[in-house]
Amino acid sequence: GYTMIESDVVAEYLSDRFPDRGSQLMPDSAEQRARVRLLIATFDQTLGSSAFIVLRASGDELSQQLEKLEIDLRILDDFLIRHGSDDGPFLCGNLFSLAEVHAAPFVQRMLIVLPRFKKVDLPKLCRRLGLKRLTNWLSSVDRRPSVVRTGMQASDVIQAYERMFSDSSR
């Protein structure tokens, strides 16, 4: 057999291999599938990386990284406005796509750990910046029933990050 190790590749493979099982993760059109893949890349290059940098920053570096986070949030909001559907809260309207599957665990964790460790409330920050599309997307991803069912408890997430921070300071 063939071994796959990248979660996004595995998820897309399973979606293609078993199209009649579970929820559809990729839209029908090639253009929309390309947008899903592009959001995954954009997410990783923006919020997916800058939030972790904020978590590890302190002092003057923290204020610089918070400015970078704001820029990245604006980029994501702009992407969702320009490339997303108006028919629902997700990139592809009401279709919870592979892009949201990719982002969901990260979104869940950041909504817990950023306020806890850095006093950064992402939804509040997005509202302050006027990023309505991103605010709605983050909330919709986080509240999706399948995401809620499969997510970690907030206390477990906090405990894991506390361990990670203490291990990295040694």
Side-chain angles (χ1 to χ4, degrees), residues 39-59:
L39 178 56
I40 290 169
T42 302
F43 182 87
D44 286 348
Q45 293 166 9
T46 57
L47 183 57
S49 64
S50 62
F52 278 116
I53 294 169
V54 165
L55 280 170
R56 295 195 175 276
S58 60

Side-chain angles (χ1 to χ4, degrees), residues 21 39 50 53 55 59 67 76 90 97 114 117 121 131 135-136 140 150 158 165:
R21 293 192 191 164
L39 178 56
S50 62
I53 294 169
L55 280 170
E67 288 176 17
L76 268 179
F90 305 116
S97 75
L114 282 173
F117 296 109
D121 182 318
L131 309 177
T135 302
N136 187 32
S140 298
T150 58
I158 291 167
F165 293 143

Side-chain angles (χ1 to χ4, degrees), residues 105-125:
F106 177 84
V107 168
Q108 282 183 313
R109 291 189 306 264
M110 290 307 109
L111 291 175
I112 295 167
V113 298
L114 282 173
R116 168 72 180 217
F117 296 109
K118 297 298 175 179
K119 306 220 182 313
V120 175
D121 182 318
L122 276 180
K124 186 184 283 186
L125 178 58

Side-chain angles (χ1 to χ4, degrees), residues 74-139:
R74 286 185 176 103
I75 290 169
L76 268 179
D77 186 69
D78 184 61
F79 182 95
L80 289 166
I81 290 168
R82 293 173 65 199
H83 300 288
S85 170
D86 293 332
D87 297 337
F90 305 116
L91 174 67
C92 300
N94 288 317
L95 173 67
F96 188 79
S97 75
L98 193 60
E100 285 84 19
V101 169
H102 173 83
F106 177 84
V107 168
Q108 282 183 313
R109 291 189 306 264
M110 290 307 109
L111 291 175
I112 295 167
V113 298
L114 282 173
R116 168 72 180 217
F117 296 109
K118 297 298 175 179
K119 306 220 182 313
V120 175
D121 182 318
L122 276 180
K124 186 184 283 186
L125 178 58
C126 288
R127 285 191 299 274
R128 182 176 63 77
L129 297 172
L131 309 177
K132 293 178 185 175
R133 183 65 167 94
L134 181 57
T135 302
N136 187 32
W137 183 80
L138 289 169
S139 173

